[in-house]
Amino acid sequence: MDGRSMNTTVATAESPRGLAGVVVTETQLGDVRGREGFYHYRQYSAVELAESRTFEDVWHLMFRGALPADAAERAAFTAEIAPLRSLPAEVRDALPALARATALSGPLAGLRTALSLLGASAGFRPVYDLTPESRAADALAACAAVPTLLTALYRLGQGLDPVEPREDLPYAANYLYMLTGREPEPVRTRAVEQYLISTIDHGFNASTFTARVIASTGADVAACLTGAIGALSGPLHGGAPSRALDTLDAIGTADRIDPWIRERVRAGDRIMGFGHPVYRTEDPRSRMLRGIARQFGGPLVDFAVEVERHVEEILAELKPGRELHTNVEFYAGVVMELCGLPREMFTPTFCAARVVGWSANVLEQAADSKIIRPAARYVGPTPPRPVPALG
């Protein structure tokens, strides 16, 4: 028996690399149907929700299981979460030092520490020890505080004072207000809100799965979300919106699209903003965001549409048989640029939405006391071997 042999003491099953397509649990929160180009939150199309509802409505859906039934229920939920945007004094006082320490890494790196501090200062306890109501309260507090933490860290990093949250503004408007210090234009607020809604949840992606693994240990909400942020920080997961926009900058002009893309594809480089591990047709989020971008119009939008068309033609030629289209990051970068968000805040803005989806998954996982503990196949030298004496 060699080192690649299966461990005979534990029954194991082979799984595809990266656990692609492996069902690890059941969820009532939503799903991604990649071959159809469709995804949903609970029983509703996520894109339809983004087109017709507010961020608070969808947050209510993910946490409470249903959309607000009327304006009064919407107002009650908004009134419940708005005061949670303010930070405890001990967290607020620590942010300047944290912003200096993460000056080279950015707000998302700072958020990992800031959110841990928030959980510790608020006395978050392991979800294993809490009632469902207490878990939900911790999750609400964490979600409401994330935009405040992110915008404060960004502004401090720019040498600016943080802007205190306003309880009278909706989630998206308040986020932009804290980021810029100005009350945003309604058209830009709505564009960002639609983007935020469209990215609340998206199946068992790497960061969501990370949050659920940590939740399965019974850890507190802040620990679960901090782990998810760490997974999101990887460029193959949440770091692509600004990189996709950097691609447009690098191409520069229409006459450079063909040679630039062909050179990268032949070199085996990934074209940021194109392709998705689940979708085998057009990403519905990309389709929606393209429509939002076209409402703004202008040279950047025209160039992005032209690049998209050329790149899809080139990829179809050089990678026949594969369905490679724009993913959410491509037009997300365009929309956020048009709305005045700095590029270093693109992925943090994604995080400001996805924290709601992570938290809903944490709450769902916390209801199951079974720890997630997969197996690995050992492929090293055959054990046991004598331990050599020190020469």
Side-chain angles (χ1 to χ4, degrees), residues 343-381:
R343 293 190 188 185
E344 56 266 48
M345 288 300 288
F346 284 6
T347 301
T349 300
F350 182 102
C351 179
R354 186 57 62 86
V355 67
V356 171
W358 291 333
S359 295
N361 274 275
V362 167
L363 296 177
E364 186 176 64
Q365 185 65 47
D368 181 356
S369 60
K370 180 67 174 178
I371 191 170
I372 297 174
R373 175 55 166 93
R377 182 177 62 200
Y378 177 73
V379 296

PDB file of all heavy atoms in Angstrom, residues 343-381:
ATOM      1  N   ARG A 343     -12.130  53.277  -6.531  1.00  0.00           N
ATOM      2  CA  ARG A 343     -11.930  51.868  -6.881  1.00  0.00           C
ATOM      3  C   ARG A 343     -11.537  51.015  -5.679  1.00  0.00           C
ATOM      4  O   ARG A 343     -11.884  49.839  -5.627  1.00  0.00           O
ATOM      5  CB  ARG A 343     -10.892  51.741  -7.999  1.00  0.00           C
ATOM      6  CG  ARG A 343     -11.378  52.309  -9.307  1.00  0.00           C
ATOM      7  CD  ARG A 343     -10.473  51.980 -10.461  1.00  0.00           C
ATOM      8  NE  ARG A 343     -10.891  52.697 -11.652  1.00  0.00           N
ATOM      9  CZ  ARG A 343     -10.362  52.543 -12.856  1.00  0.00           C
ATOM     10  NH1 ARG A 343      -9.366  51.681 -13.023  1.00  0.00           N
ATOM     11  NH2 ARG A 343     -10.801  53.238 -13.882  1.00  0.00           N
ATOM     12  N   GLU A 344     -10.819  51.586  -4.749  1.00  0.00           N
ATOM     13  CA  GLU A 344     -10.437  50.803  -3.584  1.00  0.00           C
ATOM     14  C   GLU A 344     -11.632  50.464  -2.706  1.00  0.00           C
ATOM     15  O   GLU A 344     -11.527  49.652  -1.779  1.00  0.00           O
ATOM     16  CB  GLU A 344      -9.367  51.505  -2.762  1.00  0.00           C
ATOM     17  CG  GLU A 344      -9.704  52.896  -2.302  1.00  0.00           C
ATOM     18  CD  GLU A 344      -9.199  53.982  -3.230  1.00  0.00           C
ATOM     19  OE1 GLU A 344      -9.414  53.859  -4.454  1.00  0.00           O
ATOM     20  OE2 GLU A 344      -8.602  54.950  -2.747  1.00  0.00           O
ATOM     21  N   MET A 345     -12.804  51.055  -3.020  1.00  0.00           N
ATOM     22  CA  MET A 345     -14.014  50.747  -2.267  1.00  0.00           C
ATOM     23  C   MET A 345     -14.973  49.838  -3.031  1.00  0.00           C
ATOM     24  O   MET A 345     -16.071  49.559  -2.561  1.00  0.00           O
ATOM     25  CB  MET A 345     -14.737  52.042  -1.877  1.00  0.00           C
ATOM     26  CG  MET A 345     -14.034  52.826  -0.782  1.00  0.00           C
ATOM     27  SD  MET A 345     -13.867  51.893   0.764  1.00  0.00           S
ATOM     28  CE  MET A 345     -15.564  51.886   1.338  1.00  0.00           C
ATOM     29  N   PHE A 346     -14.562  49.348  -4.197  1.00  0.00           N
ATOM     30  CA  PHE A 346     -15.459  48.475  -4.963  1.00  0.00           C
ATOM     31  C   PHE A 346     -15.740  47.178  -4.215  1.00  0.00           C
ATOM     32  O   PHE A 346     -16.891  46.795  -4.010  1.00  0.00           O
ATOM     33  CB  PHE A 346     -14.858  48.161  -6.338  1.00  0.00           C
ATOM     34  CG  PHE A 346     -14.949  49.295  -7.325  1.00  0.00           C
ATOM     35  CD1 PHE A 346     -15.418  50.545  -6.959  1.00  0.00           C
ATOM     36  CD2 PHE A 346     -14.565  49.101  -8.635  1.00  0.00           C
ATOM     37  CE1 PHE A 346     -15.490  51.583  -7.878  1.00  0.00           C
ATOM     38  CE2 PHE A 346     -14.639  50.125  -9.565  1.00  0.00           C
ATOM     39  CZ  PHE A 346     -15.094  51.365  -9.196  1.00  0.00           C
ATOM     40  N   THR A 347     -14.686  46.462  -3.839  1.00  0.00           N
ATOM     41  CA  THR A 347     -14.897  45.204  -3.121  1.00  0.00           C
ATOM     42  C   THR A 347     -15.486  45.439  -1.733  1.00  0.00           C
ATOM     43  O   THR A 347     -16.373  44.679  -1.306  1.00  0.00           O
ATOM     44  CB  THR A 347     -13.594  44.399  -3.040  1.00  0.00           C
ATOM     45  OG1 THR A 347     -13.133  44.129  -4.375  1.00  0.00           O
ATOM     46  CG2 THR A 347     -13.800  43.076  -2.322  1.00  0.00           C
ATOM     47  N   PRO A 348     -15.053  46.466  -0.981  1.00  0.00           N
ATOM     48  CA  PRO A 348     -15.746  46.750   0.277  1.00  0.00           C
ATOM     49  C   PRO A 348     -17.243  47.017   0.101  1.00  0.00           C
ATOM     50  O   PRO A 348     -18.053  46.630   0.950  1.00  0.00           O
ATOM     51  CB  PRO A 348     -15.018  47.986   0.806  1.00  0.00           C
ATOM     52  CG  PRO A 348     -13.633  47.836   0.284  1.00  0.00           C
ATOM     53  CD  PRO A 348     -13.805  47.263  -1.099  1.00  0.00           C
ATOM     54  N   THR A 349     -17.627  47.657  -1.004  1.00  0.00           N
ATOM     55  CA  THR A 349     -19.050  47.893  -1.258  1.00  0.00           C
ATOM     56  C   THR A 349     -19.778  46.574  -1.477  1.00  0.00           C
ATOM     57  O   THR A 349     -20.896  46.370  -0.982  1.00  0.00           O
ATOM     58  CB  THR A 349     -19.230  48.819  -2.475  1.00  0.00           C
ATOM     59  OG1 THR A 349     -18.574  50.073  -2.208  1.00  0.00           O
ATOM     60  CG2 THR A 349     -20.700  49.082  -2.765  1.00  0.00           C
ATOM     61  N   PHE A 350     -19.157  45.670  -2.212  1.00  0.00           N
ATOM     62  CA  PHE A 350     -19.685  44.304  -2.354  1.00  0.00           C
ATOM     63  C   PHE A 350     -19.888  43.682  -0.974  1.00  0.00           C
ATOM     64  O   PHE A 350     -20.918  43.066  -0.690  1.00  0.00           O
ATOM     65  CB  PHE A 350     -18.694  43.491  -3.189  1.00  0.00           C
ATOM     66  CG  PHE A 350     -19.094  42.076  -3.479  1.00  0.00           C
ATOM     67  CD1 PHE A 350     -19.599  41.725  -4.717  1.00  0.00           C
ATOM     68  CD2 PHE A 350     -18.944  41.070  -2.533  1.00  0.00           C
ATOM     69  CE1 PHE A 350     -19.949  40.414  -5.008  1.00  0.00           C
ATOM     70  CE2 PHE A 350     -19.285  39.767  -2.806  1.00  0.00           C
ATOM     71  CZ  PHE A 350     -19.799  39.430  -4.053  1.00  0.00           C
ATOM     72  N   CYS A 351     -18.914  43.865  -0.104  1.00  0.00           N
ATOM     73  CA  CYS A 351     -18.974  43.309   1.249  1.00  0.00           C
ATOM     74  C   CYS A 351     -20.124  43.912   2.042  1.00  0.00           C
ATOM     75  O   CYS A 351     -20.771  43.216   2.829  1.00  0.00           O
ATOM     76  CB  CYS A 351     -17.642  43.562   1.953  1.00  0.00           C
ATOM     77  SG  CYS A 351     -17.562  42.962   3.649  1.00  0.00           S
ATOM     78  N   ALA A 352     -20.399  45.201   1.841  1.00  0.00           N
ATOM     79  CA  ALA A 352     -21.481  45.867   2.565  1.00  0.00           C
ATOM     80  C   ALA A 352     -22.840  45.260   2.245  1.00  0.00           C
ATOM     81  O   ALA A 352     -23.783  45.376   3.033  1.00  0.00           O
ATOM     82  CB  ALA A 352     -21.489  47.361   2.244  1.00  0.00           C
ATOM     83  N   ALA A 353     -22.950  44.611   1.086  1.00  0.00           N
ATOM     84  CA  ALA A 353     -24.179  43.899   0.738  1.00  0.00           C
ATOM     85  C   ALA A 353     -24.121  42.448   1.172  1.00  0.00           C
ATOM     86  O   ALA A 353     -25.050  41.923   1.794  1.00  0.00           O
ATOM     87  CB  ALA A 353     -24.422  43.976  -0.771  1.00  0.00           C
ATOM     88  N   ARG A 354     -23.007  41.774   0.843  1.00  0.00           N
ATOM     89  CA  ARG A 354     -22.914  40.335   1.076  1.00  0.00           C
ATOM     90  C   ARG A 354     -22.943  39.993   2.557  1.00  0.00           C
ATOM     91  O   ARG A 354     -23.280  38.862   2.923  1.00  0.00           O
ATOM     92  CB  ARG A 354     -21.648  39.799   0.405  1.00  0.00           C
ATOM     93  CG  ARG A 354     -21.461  38.280   0.430  1.00  0.00           C
ATOM     94  CD  ARG A 354     -22.622  37.523  -0.195  1.00  0.00           C
ATOM     95  NE  ARG A 354     -22.845  37.795  -1.593  1.00  0.00           N
ATOM     96  CZ  ARG A 354     -22.236  37.175  -2.604  1.00  0.00           C
ATOM     97  NH1 ARG A 354     -21.334  36.245  -2.346  1.00  0.00           N
ATOM     98  NH2 ARG A 354     -22.532  37.477  -3.856  1.00  0.00           N
ATOM     99  N   VAL A 355     -22.622  40.949   3.442  1.00  0.00           N
ATOM    100  CA  VAL A 355     -22.667  40.655   4.873  1.00  0.00           C
ATOM    101  C   VAL A 355     -24.068  40.229   5.304  1.00  0.00           C
ATOM    102  O   VAL A 355     -24.221  39.420   6.221  1.00  0.00           O
ATOM    103  CB  VAL A 355     -22.170  41.873   5.696  1.00  0.00           C
ATOM    104  CG1 VAL A 355     -23.122  43.064   5.584  1.00  0.00           C
ATOM    105  CG2 VAL A 355     -21.965  41.493   7.154  1.00  0.00           C
ATOM    106  N   VAL A 356     -25.095  40.732   4.615  1.00  0.00           N
ATOM    107  CA  VAL A 356     -26.465  40.315   4.936  1.00  0.00           C
ATOM    108  C   VAL A 356     -26.676  38.855   4.547  1.00  0.00           C
ATOM    109  O   VAL A 356     -27.255  38.065   5.309  1.00  0.00           O
ATOM    110  CB  VAL A 356     -27.486  41.233   4.231  1.00  0.00           C
ATOM    111  CG1 VAL A 356     -28.904  40.687   4.382  1.00  0.00           C
ATOM    112  CG2 VAL A 356     -27.397  42.648   4.800  1.00  0.00           C
ATOM    113  N   GLY A 357     -26.204  38.479   3.368  1.00  0.00           N
ATOM    114  CA  GLY A 357     -26.315  37.088   2.953  1.00  0.00           C
ATOM    115  C   GLY A 357     -25.506  36.153   3.824  1.00  0.00           C
ATOM    116  O   GLY A 357     -25.967  35.063   4.193  1.00  0.00           O
ATOM    117  N   TRP A 358     -24.279  36.556   4.149  1.00  0.00           N
ATOM    118  CA  TRP A 358     -23.463  35.739   5.062  1.00  0.00           C
ATOM    119  C   TRP A 358     -24.204  35.515   6.382  1.00  0.00           C
ATOM    120  O   TRP A 358     -24.242  34.406   6.900  1.00  0.00           O
ATOM    121  CB  TRP A 358     -22.146  36.428   5.358  1.00  0.00           C
ATOM    122  CG  TRP A 358     -21.182  36.514   4.223  1.00  0.00           C
ATOM    123  CD1 TRP A 358     -21.077  35.674   3.161  1.00  0.00           C
ATOM    124  CD2 TRP A 358     -20.165  37.504   4.054  1.00  0.00           C
ATOM    125  NE1 TRP A 358     -20.055  36.075   2.344  1.00  0.00           N
ATOM    126  CE2 TRP A 358     -19.487  37.188   2.859  1.00  0.00           C
ATOM    127  CE3 TRP A 358     -19.773  38.621   4.793  1.00  0.00           C
ATOM    128  CZ2 TRP A 358     -18.413  37.971   2.397  1.00  0.00           C
ATOM    129  CZ3 TRP A 358     -18.723  39.387   4.335  1.00  0.00           C
ATOM    130  CH2 TRP A 358     -18.049  39.069   3.148  1.00  0.00           C
ATOM    131  N   SER A 359     -24.737  36.603   6.922  1.00  0.00           N
ATOM    132  CA  SER A 359     -25.391  36.511   8.227  1.00  0.00           C
ATOM    133  C   SER A 359     -26.614  35.612   8.179  1.00  0.00           C
ATOM    134  O   SER A 359     -26.866  34.834   9.108  1.00  0.00           O
ATOM    135  CB  SER A 359     -25.783  37.907   8.718  1.00  0.00           C
ATOM    136  OG  SER A 359     -24.636  38.705   8.951  1.00  0.00           O
ATOM    137  N   ALA A 360     -27.392  35.714   7.099  1.00  0.00           N
ATOM    138  CA  ALA A 360     -28.547  34.831   6.965  1.00  0.00           C
ATOM    139  C   ALA A 360     -28.102  33.374   6.924  1.00  0.00           C
ATOM    140  O   ALA A 360     -28.738  32.493   7.517  1.00  0.00           O
ATOM    141  CB  ALA A 360     -29.335  35.188   5.704  1.00  0.00           C
ATOM    142  N   ASN A 361     -27.002  33.109   6.254  1.00  0.00           N
ATOM    143  CA  ASN A 361     -26.462  31.747   6.208  1.00  0.00           C
ATOM    144  C   ASN A 361     -25.938  31.302   7.570  1.00  0.00           C
ATOM    145  O   ASN A 361     -26.080  30.139   7.950  1.00  0.00           O
ATOM    146  CB  ASN A 361     -25.363  31.653   5.156  1.00  0.00           C
ATOM    147  CG  ASN A 361     -25.891  31.364   3.769  1.00  0.00           C
ATOM    148  OD1 ASN A 361     -26.111  30.207   3.416  1.00  0.00           O
ATOM    149  ND2 ASN A 361     -26.113  32.412   2.990  1.00  0.00           N
ATOM    150  N   VAL A 362     -25.320  32.221   8.301  1.00  0.00           N
ATOM    151  CA  VAL A 362     -24.849  31.895   9.649  1.00  0.00           C
ATOM    152  C   VAL A 362     -26.025  31.512  10.538  1.00  0.00           C
ATOM    153  O   VAL A 362     -25.971  30.518  11.283  1.00  0.00           O
ATOM    154  CB  VAL A 362     -24.066  33.084  10.246  1.00  0.00           C
ATOM    155  CG1 VAL A 362     -23.853  32.900  11.758  1.00  0.00           C
ATOM    156  CG2 VAL A 362     -22.727  33.252   9.542  1.00  0.00           C
ATOM    157  N   LEU A 363     -27.095  32.286  10.464  1.00  0.00           N
ATOM    158  CA  LEU A 363     -28.270  31.994  11.283  1.00  0.00           C
ATOM    159  C   LEU A 363     -28.887  30.648  10.909  1.00  0.00           C
ATOM    160  O   LEU A 363     -29.309  29.876  11.778  1.00  0.00           O
ATOM    161  CB  LEU A 363     -29.303  33.110  11.134  1.00  0.00           C
ATOM    162  CG  LEU A 363     -28.873  34.489  11.637  1.00  0.00           C
ATOM    163  CD1 LEU A 363     -29.966  35.512  11.371  1.00  0.00           C
ATOM    164  CD2 LEU A 363     -28.520  34.453  13.117  1.00  0.00           C
ATOM    165  N   GLU A 364     -28.924  30.356   9.610  1.00  0.00           N
ATOM    166  CA  GLU A 364     -29.472  29.077   9.185  1.00  0.00           C
ATOM    167  C   GLU A 364     -28.578  27.921   9.642  1.00  0.00           C
ATOM    168  O   GLU A 364     -29.051  26.901  10.126  1.00  0.00           O
ATOM    169  CB  GLU A 364     -29.629  29.055   7.663  1.00  0.00           C
ATOM    170  CG  GLU A 364     -30.330  27.818   7.138  1.00  0.00           C
ATOM    171  CD  GLU A 364     -30.563  27.883   5.637  1.00  0.00           C
ATOM    172  OE1 GLU A 364     -29.557  27.905   4.882  1.00  0.00           O
ATOM    173  OE2 GLU A 364     -31.735  27.904   5.218  1.00  0.00           O
ATOM    174  N   GLN A 365     -27.253  28.091   9.508  1.00  0.00           N
ATOM    175  CA  GLN A 365     -26.323  27.034   9.906  1.00  0.00           C
ATOM    176  C   GLN A 365     -26.349  26.825  11.412  1.00  0.00           C
ATOM    177  O   GLN A 365     -26.214  25.699  11.895  1.00  0.00           O
ATOM    178  CB  GLN A 365     -24.902  27.386   9.458  1.00  0.00           C
ATOM    179  CG  GLN A 365     -23.869  26.299   9.703  1.00  0.00           C
ATOM    180  CD  GLN A 365     -24.141  25.055   8.887  1.00  0.00           C
ATOM    181  OE1 GLN A 365     -24.402  25.137   7.705  1.00  0.00           O
ATOM    182  NE2 GLN A 365     -24.077  23.894   9.530  1.00  0.00           N
ATOM    183  N   ALA A 366     -26.516  27.896  12.168  1.00  0.00           N
ATOM    184  CA  ALA A 366     -26.503  27.798  13.634  1.00  0.00           C
ATOM    185  C   ALA A 366     -27.646  26.947  14.169  1.00  0.00           C
ATOM    186  O   ALA A 366     -27.567  26.431  15.292  1.00  0.00           O
ATOM    187  CB  ALA A 366     -26.556  29.193  14.253  1.00  0.00           C
ATOM    188  N   ALA A 367     -28.674  26.796  13.360  1.00  0.00           N
ATOM    189  CA  ALA A 367     -29.800  25.960  13.790  1.00  0.00           C
ATOM    190  C   ALA A 367     -29.478  24.470  13.693  1.00  0.00           C
ATOM    191  O   ALA A 367     -30.240  23.633  14.193  1.00  0.00           O
ATOM    192  CB  ALA A 367     -31.027  26.278  12.936  1.00  0.00           C
ATOM    193  N   ASP A 368     -28.348  24.134  13.058  1.00  0.00           N
ATOM    194  CA  ASP A 368     -27.919  22.737  12.912  1.00  0.00           C
ATOM    195  C   ASP A 368     -26.656  22.544  13.742  1.00  0.00           C
ATOM    196  O   ASP A 368     -25.640  23.205  13.505  1.00  0.00           O
ATOM    197  CB  ASP A 368     -27.637  22.446  11.435  1.00  0.00           C
ATOM    198  CG  ASP A 368     -27.214  21.007  11.180  1.00  0.00           C
ATOM    199  OD1 ASP A 368     -27.070  20.242  12.153  1.00  0.00           O
ATOM    200  OD2 ASP A 368     -27.003  20.662  10.005  1.00  0.00           O
ATOM    201  N   SER A 369     -26.678  21.654  14.704  1.00  0.00           N
ATOM    202  CA  SER A 369     -25.551  21.500  15.627  1.00  0.00           C
ATOM    203  C   SER A 369     -24.436  20.616  15.074  1.00  0.00           C
ATOM    204  O   SER A 369     -23.440  20.374  15.764  1.00  0.00           O
ATOM    205  CB  SER A 369     -26.034  20.908  16.957  1.00  0.00           C
ATOM    206  OG  SER A 369     -26.627  19.633  16.738  1.00  0.00           O
ATOM    207  N   LYS A 370     -24.552  20.140  13.835  1.00  0.00           N
ATOM    208  CA  LYS A 370     -23.543  19.262  13.255  1.00  0.00           C
ATOM    209  C   LYS A 370     -22.380  20.083  12.708  1.00  0.00           C
ATOM    210  O   LYS A 370     -22.559  20.958  11.861  1.00  0.00           O
ATOM    211  CB  LYS A 370     -24.157  18.430  12.129  1.00  0.00           C
ATOM    212  CG  LYS A 370     -23.174  17.470  11.455  1.00  0.00           C
ATOM    213  CD  LYS A 370     -22.731  16.364  12.399  1.00  0.00           C
ATOM    214  CE  LYS A 370     -21.866  15.340  11.655  1.00  0.00           C
ATOM    215  NZ  LYS A 370     -21.371  14.282  12.567  1.00  0.00           N
ATOM    216  N   ILE A 371     -21.160  19.816  13.177  1.00  0.00           N
ATOM    217  CA  ILE A 371     -19.993  20.533  12.692  1.00  0.00           C
ATOM    218  C   ILE A 371     -19.611  20.048  11.294  1.00  0.00           C
ATOM    219  O   ILE A 371     -19.760  18.860  10.971  1.00  0.00           O
ATOM    220  CB  ILE A 371     -18.798  20.351  13.669  1.00  0.00           C
ATOM    221  CG1 ILE A 371     -17.653  21.312  13.301  1.00  0.00           C
ATOM    222  CG2 ILE A 371     -18.313  18.898  13.670  1.00  0.00           C
ATOM    223  CD1 ILE A 371     -16.565  21.355  14.349  1.00  0.00           C
ATOM    224  N   ILE A 372     -19.194  20.964  10.446  1.00  0.00           N
ATOM    225  CA  ILE A 372     -18.746  20.616   9.093  1.00  0.00           C
ATOM    226  C   ILE A 372     -17.301  20.139   9.180  1.00  0.00           C
ATOM    227  O   ILE A 372     -16.399  20.916   9.529  1.00  0.00           O
ATOM    228  CB  ILE A 372     -18.875  21.819   8.138  1.00  0.00           C
ATOM    229  CG1 ILE A 372     -20.347  22.226   8.015  1.00  0.00           C
ATOM    230  CG2 ILE A 372     -18.290  21.485   6.771  1.00  0.00           C
ATOM    231  CD1 ILE A 372     -20.586  23.489   7.215  1.00  0.00           C
ATOM    232  N   ARG A 373     -17.083  18.881   8.865  1.00  0.00           N
ATOM    233  CA  ARG A 373     -15.757  18.286   9.054  1.00  0.00           C
ATOM    234  C   ARG A 373     -15.475  17.297   7.923  1.00  0.00           C
ATOM    235  O   ARG A 373     -15.620  16.091   8.081  1.00  0.00           O
ATOM    236  CB  ARG A 373     -15.715  17.588  10.426  1.00  0.00           C
ATOM    237  CG  ARG A 373     -14.454  16.799  10.783  1.00  0.00           C
ATOM    238  CD  ARG A 373     -13.188  17.627  10.671  1.00  0.00           C
ATOM    239  NE  ARG A 373     -12.055  16.979  11.314  1.00  0.00           N
ATOM    240  CZ  ARG A 373     -11.184  16.172  10.685  1.00  0.00           C
ATOM    241  NH1 ARG A 373     -11.327  15.899   9.411  1.00  0.00           N
ATOM    242  NH2 ARG A 373     -10.178  15.640  11.363  1.00  0.00           N
ATOM    243  N   PRO A 374     -15.084  17.809   6.730  1.00  0.00           N
ATOM    244  CA  PRO A 374     -14.787  16.901   5.624  1.00  0.00           C
ATOM    245  C   PRO A 374     -13.457  16.187   5.824  1.00  0.00           C
ATOM    246  O   PRO A 374     -12.709  16.490   6.759  1.00  0.00           O
ATOM    247  CB  PRO A 374     -14.726  17.835   4.411  1.00  0.00           C
ATOM    248  CG  PRO A 374     -14.306  19.148   4.996  1.00  0.00           C
ATOM    249  CD  PRO A 374     -14.919  19.215   6.368  1.00  0.00           C
ATOM    250  N   ALA A 375     -13.173  15.251   4.945  1.00  0.00           N
ATOM    251  CA  ALA A 375     -11.919  14.507   5.001  1.00  0.00           C
ATOM    252  C   ALA A 375     -11.000  14.942   3.875  1.00  0.00           C
ATOM    253  O   ALA A 375     -11.434  15.535   2.886  1.00  0.00           O
ATOM    254  CB  ALA A 375     -12.200  13.007   4.897  1.00  0.00           C
ATOM    255  N   ALA A 376      -9.718  14.671   4.027  1.00  0.00           N
ATOM    256  CA  ALA A 376      -8.732  14.905   2.986  1.00  0.00           C
ATOM    257  C   ALA A 376      -8.025  13.583   2.687  1.00  0.00           C
ATOM    258  O   ALA A 376      -7.907  12.721   3.556  1.00  0.00           O
ATOM    259  CB  ALA A 376      -7.709  15.953   3.429  1.00  0.00           C
ATOM    260  N   ARG A 377      -7.564  13.420   1.463  1.00  0.00           N
ATOM    261  CA  ARG A 377      -6.841  12.216   1.095  1.00  0.00           C
ATOM    262  C   ARG A 377      -5.342  12.477   1.244  1.00  0.00           C
ATOM    263  O   ARG A 377      -4.789  13.374   0.608  1.00  0.00           O
ATOM    264  CB  ARG A 377      -7.150  11.834  -0.354  1.00  0.00           C
ATOM    265  CG  ARG A 377      -6.459  10.529  -0.795  1.00  0.00           C
ATOM    266  CD  ARG A 377      -6.850  10.168  -2.206  1.00  0.00           C
ATOM    267  NE  ARG A 377      -6.431  11.178  -3.162  1.00  0.00           N
ATOM    268  CZ  ARG A 377      -6.946  11.324  -4.379  1.00  0.00           C
ATOM    269  NH1 ARG A 377      -7.940  10.531  -4.762  1.00  0.00           N
ATOM    270  NH2 ARG A 377      -6.496  12.249  -5.201  1.00  0.00           N
ATOM    271  N   TYR A 378      -4.702  11.718   2.064  1.00  0.00           N
ATOM    272  CA  TYR A 378      -3.269  11.879   2.292  1.00  0.00           C
ATOM    273  C   TYR A 378      -2.494  11.319   1.103  1.00  0.00           C
ATOM    274  O   TYR A 378      -2.727  10.188   0.664  1.00  0.00           O
ATOM    275  CB  TYR A 378      -2.855  11.157   3.569  1.00  0.00           C
ATOM    276  CG  TYR A 378      -1.358  11.212   3.833  1.00  0.00           C
ATOM    277  CD1 TYR A 378      -0.753  12.388   4.258  1.00  0.00           C
ATOM    278  CD2 TYR A 378      -0.561  10.084   3.622  1.00  0.00           C
ATOM    279  CE1 TYR A 378       0.613  12.439   4.481  1.00  0.00           C
ATOM    280  CE2 TYR A 378       0.808  10.136   3.838  1.00  0.00           C
ATOM    281  CZ  TYR A 378       1.389  11.320   4.274  1.00  0.00           C
ATOM    282  OH  TYR A 378       2.735  11.373   4.485  1.00  0.00           O
ATOM    283  N   VAL A 379      -1.534  12.108   0.563  1.00  0.00           N
ATOM    284  CA  VAL A 379      -0.739  11.684  -0.592  1.00  0.00           C
ATOM    285  C   VAL A 379       0.755  11.859  -0.339  1.00  0.00           C
ATOM    286  O   VAL A 379       1.553  11.863  -1.272  1.00  0.00           O
ATOM    287  CB  VAL A 379      -1.155  12.454  -1.873  1.00  0.00           C
ATOM    288  CG1 VAL A 379      -2.591  12.137  -2.258  1.00  0.00           C
ATOM    289  CG2 VAL A 379      -0.986  13.974  -1.680  1.00  0.00           C
ATOM    290  N   GLY A 380       1.163  12.011   0.934  1.00  0.00           N
ATOM    291  CA  GLY A 380       2.574  12.186   1.260  1.00  0.00           C
ATOM    292  C   GLY A 380       3.308  10.852   1.374  1.00  0.00           C
ATOM    293  O   GLY A 380       2.789   9.796   0.995  1.00  0.00           O
ATOM    294  N   PRO A 381       4.523  10.873   1.936  1.00  0.00           N
ATOM    295  CA  PRO A 381       5.309   9.636   2.113  1.00  0.00           C
ATOM    296  C   PRO A 381       4.557   8.639   2.967  1.00  0.00           C
ATOM    297  O   PRO A 381       3.817   8.993   3.887  1.00  0.00           O
ATOM    298  CB  PRO A 381       6.573  10.142   2.813  1.00  0.00           C
ATOM    299  CG  PRO A 381       6.655  11.592   2.480  1.00  0.00           C
ATOM    300  CD  PRO A 381       5.244  12.063   2.371  1.00  0.00           C
TER     301      PRO A 381
END
